[in-house]
């Protein structure tokens, strides 16, 4: 009975497509299944009894060995450890492995054994890379015709405003223009997201006047706002920041677009700035839908949208905003009450001011 259990257990252990083994708390390899042995073309006797990091899965990569040693130490203290590592298979090909170390506790609560587990995710990673490349390429390709269409629609609008009398046609053209602007925004969000993900969102720092930037953004956004009014709380003295002008403008546009999107007509939207503990504090407040407390942290996550209020966006705007501010050594947060409105705050290091 006991024997047949062991035989059955061994066949399950060996037939798994994952790499599985068993370590003691010192990191010595006690067991390794067939899949993991075949990966390096080894036999059990070649590897069992050795420190795991001195076996052929690891011993060609100094960095990986060091990481594994640290990971075993943590697992021996009771931590479930995850790593993504790269290993050479029996043909010398580099494979990406999703690897974990799971501690097994005895009845006294002490770690007795550690289970190392690995899964080959090379193909999945490659497909993810291809998807990202495709998305970025598609977004780039879409941008050119949309920019052309937008230029044409704007030229027509200008012509109609000057010479036309047909109001309906003008409204239709404005609708086309509005939808093209939205498409452009969505595409820009995808492009920025791929830049953030690949660490290629680069900034062009220069000294900029926050007063001028805020006035210009508020002026532009008020043209789009139509039935809402954005008010800029004037601050008398000039505040200079060392920042990427276009990216800070993008942050303000994102926050103001959201304020417009998530509040009703004829409610108040305000923008202001001041110096606060050696930093510049900027805020955008609205009297809109508000955000439930439980979701106020999550809205800055990639793709996150508040369930009941899902808009036609991708849930990327605030994520990108946060990344832009992070690259400026700044930060962003929100205070909000459901049904009453939201105020988004962000802080930037400041360059100098007149006061
Ligand atoms: P998107 O607007 O494209 O959905 P964002 O990242 O800009 O993505 O915003 C994430 C979510 O946060 C939104 O879906 C919305 O639910 C919520 N949100 C953002 N700004 C506001 C706001 N001013 N008032 C209420 N909810 C907001």
């Amino acid at each position: 009975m006991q024997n047949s259990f062991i035989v059955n257990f061994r066949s399950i252990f060996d037939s798994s497509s994952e790499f599985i083994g068993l370590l003691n708390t010192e990191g010595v390899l006690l067991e390794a299944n067939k899949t993991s042995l075949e990966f390096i073309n080894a036999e059990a006797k070649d590897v069992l009894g050795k420190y795991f990091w001195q076996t052929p899965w690891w011993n060609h990569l100094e960095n990986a060995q060091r990481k594994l040693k640290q990971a075993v130490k943590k697992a021996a203290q009771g931590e479930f450890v995850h790593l993504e590592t790269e290993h050479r298979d029996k043909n010398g090909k580099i494979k990406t492995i999703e690897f974990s170390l799971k501690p097994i506790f005895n009845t006294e609560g002490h770690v007795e054994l550690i289970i190392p587990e690995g899964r080959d995710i090379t193909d999945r990673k490659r497909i993810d890379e291809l998807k990202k490349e495709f998305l970025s390429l598609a977004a780039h390709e879409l941008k050119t015709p949309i920019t052309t269409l937008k230029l044409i629609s704007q030229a027509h609008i200008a012509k109609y405003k000057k010479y036309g009398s047909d109001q309906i046609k003008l409204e239709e053209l404005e609708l086309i223009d509005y939808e093209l602007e939205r498409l452009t925004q969505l595409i820009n969000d995808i492009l920025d997201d791929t830049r953030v993900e690949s660490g290629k969102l680069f900034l062009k720092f220069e000294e900029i006047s926050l007063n001028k930037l805020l006035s210009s953004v508020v002026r532009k956004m008020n043209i789009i706002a139509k039935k809402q009014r954005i008010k800029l709380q004037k601050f008398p003295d000039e505040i200079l920041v060392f920042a990427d002008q276009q990216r800070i403008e993008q942050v303000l546009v994102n926050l103001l677009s959201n304020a417009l999107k998530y509040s009703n007509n004829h409610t108040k939207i305000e923008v202001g700035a001041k110096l606060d503990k050696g930093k510049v504090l900027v805020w955008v407040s609205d009297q809109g839908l508000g955000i439930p407390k439980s979701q106020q942290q999550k809205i800055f996550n990639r793709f996150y949208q508040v369930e009941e209020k899902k808009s036609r966006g991708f849930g990327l705007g605030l994520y990108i905003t946060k990344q832009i501010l992070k690259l400026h050594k700044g930060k962003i947060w929100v205070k909000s009450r459901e049904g009453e409105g939201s105020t988004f705050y962000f802080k930037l290091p400041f360059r100098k001011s007149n006061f």
Side-chain angles (χ1 to χ4, degrees):
M1 177 67 185
Q2 180 79 359
N3 249 354
S4 82
F5 173 78
I6 290 173
V7 172
N8 283 342
F9 183 77
R10 184 86 225 175
S11 18
I12 296 170
F13 184 62
D14 277 337
S15 64
S16 166
S17 59
E18 293 191 11
F19 311 123
I20 316 175
L22 200 61
L23 304 178
N24 69 14
T25 50
E26 303 289 300
V28 173
L29 188 66
L30 307 175
E31 280 288 353
N33 75 340
K34 207 166 150 197
T35 314
S36 53
L37 291 170
E38 279 173 356
F39 183 78
I40 49 164
N41 207 10
E43 288 189 33
K45 66 176 171 47
D46 306 329
V47 288
L48 298 191
K50 289 188 176 166
Y51 283 115
F52 194 24
W53 45 87
Q54 284 171 357
T55 60
W57 291 286
W58 303 88
N59 65 7
H60 56 287
L61 294 163
E62 222 178 278
N63 200 16
Q65 275 184 311
R66 196 162 10 91
K67 265 200 207 161
L68 175 64
K69 257 192 198 174
Q70 283 167 358
V72 168
K73 212 168 163 190
K74 281 188 190 163
Q77 287 162 358
E79 205 177 305
F80 188 1
V81 192
H82 285 279
L83 290 179
E84 196 178 289
T85 54
E86 289 199 326
H87 299 266
R88 219 177 272 280
D89 72 3
K90 58 186 170 201
N91 303 315
K93 285 209 175 110
I94 298 284
K95 301 281 180 176
T96 310
I97 307 292
E98 193 175 64
F99 178 76
S100 66
L101 289 172
K102 190 176 185 185
I104 306 292
F105 297 89
N106 63 17
T107 45
E108 276 105 57
H110 297 126
V111 178
E112 198 155 278
L113 292 164
I114 299 167
I115 298 184
E117 247 181 306
R119 182 178 304 138
D120 185 348
I121 54 163
T122 317
D123 291 342
R124 200 182 78 198
K125 286 269 291 192
R126 178 77 199 119
I127 291 169
D128 281 353
E129 283 305 314
L130 285 174
K131 270 194 210 157
K132 268 190 220 157
E133 275 169 36
F134 167 74
L135 204 61
S136 161
L137 202 73
H140 268 294
E141 291 302 316
L142 284 169
K143 227 181 142 163
T144 317
I146 288 170
T147 310
T148 314
L149 288 173
K150 194 151 167 52
L151 284 174
I152 297 171
S153 81
Q154 280 174 348
H156 277 292
I157 288 171
K159 244 190 246 166
Y160 256 97
K161 281 189 175 159
K162 213 162 173 192
Y163 309 112
S165 54
D166 190 338
Q167 187 59 25
I168 292 175
K169 268 194 190 139
L170 178 61
E171 275 167 16
E172 284 169 2
L173 277 173
E174 281 176 337
L175 188 62
I176 291 172
D177 192 60
Y178 172 78
E179 292 295 345
L180 285 171
E181 182 53 37
R182 266 182 30 81
L183 263 176
T184 313
Q185 276 310 321
L186 291 175
I187 290 168
N188 283 340
D189 277 357
I190 296 175
L191 286 172
D192 280 343
D193 179 61
T194 52
R195 283 185 195 117
V196 168
E197 287 305 296
S198 54
K200 286 184 183 152
L201 191 93
F202 301 121
L203 301 183
K204 256 186 15 217
F205 282 93
E206 60 187 318
E207 198 170 82
I208 55 175
S209 155
L210 199 63
N211 314 48
K212 281 192 194 133
L213 183 63
L214 285 175
S215 309
S216 129
V217 173
V218 168
R219 200 174 339 104
K220 280 189 220 163
M221 292 302 291
N222 265 327
I223 299 172
I224 303 169
K226 294 197 170 136
K227 292 193 177 145
Q228 285 143 299
R229 204 81 237 128
I230 303 167
K231 199 172 155 261
L232 176 62
Q233 291 186 347
K234 286 272 176 233
F235 43 101
D237 299 297
E238 188 164 52
I239 296 179
L240 297 177
V241 286
F242 196 57
D244 182 317
Q245 166 134 358
Q246 273 186 10
R247 291 295 179 181
I248 297 299
E249 176 162 351
Q250 182 180 350
V251 164
L252 291 164
V253 169
N254 273 347
L255 296 179
L256 285 169
S257 306
N258 279 347
L260 292 169
K261 201 158 58 166
Y262 300 109
S263 50
N264 295 324
N265 290 341
H266 311 297
T267 52
K268 213 165 54 178
I269 295 172
E270 276 183 358
V271 185
K274 66 170 185 180
L275 281 182
D276 182 57
K277 296 182 194 138
K279 304 241 170 176
V280 178
L281 177 72
V282 183
W283 66 91
V284 173
S285 71
D286 66 58
Q287 299 175 320
L289 303 174
I291 304 155
K293 192 131 194 84
S294 61
Q295 319 228 8
Q296 288 177 11
Q297 293 280 329
K298 297 182 188 156
I299 53 170
F300 299 100
N301 292 348
R302 196 166 171 232
F303 302 127
Y304 194 86
Q305 295 186 300
V306 177
E307 203 50 50
E308 313 86 73
K309 299 166 200 161
K310 276 199 170 173
S311 71
R312 289 190 293 165
F314 292 135
L316 279 173
L318 287 177
Y319 169 71
I320 293 164
T321 297
K322 187 177 174 174
Q323 304 308 316
I324 292 174
L325 291 168
K326 236 181 170 176
L327 290 171
H328 280 88
K329 298 199 171 21
K331 58 178 190 167
I332 181 163
W333 69 99
V334 65
K335 283 189 185 156
S336 178
R337 262 174 196 268
E338 254 191 298
E340 289 182 21
S342 314
T343 303
F344 283 82
Y345 298 88
F346 69 84
K347 262 190 182 176
L348 282 175
F350 93 105
R351 181 78 159 175
K352 60 178 172 204
S353 85
N354 295 340
F355 53 91

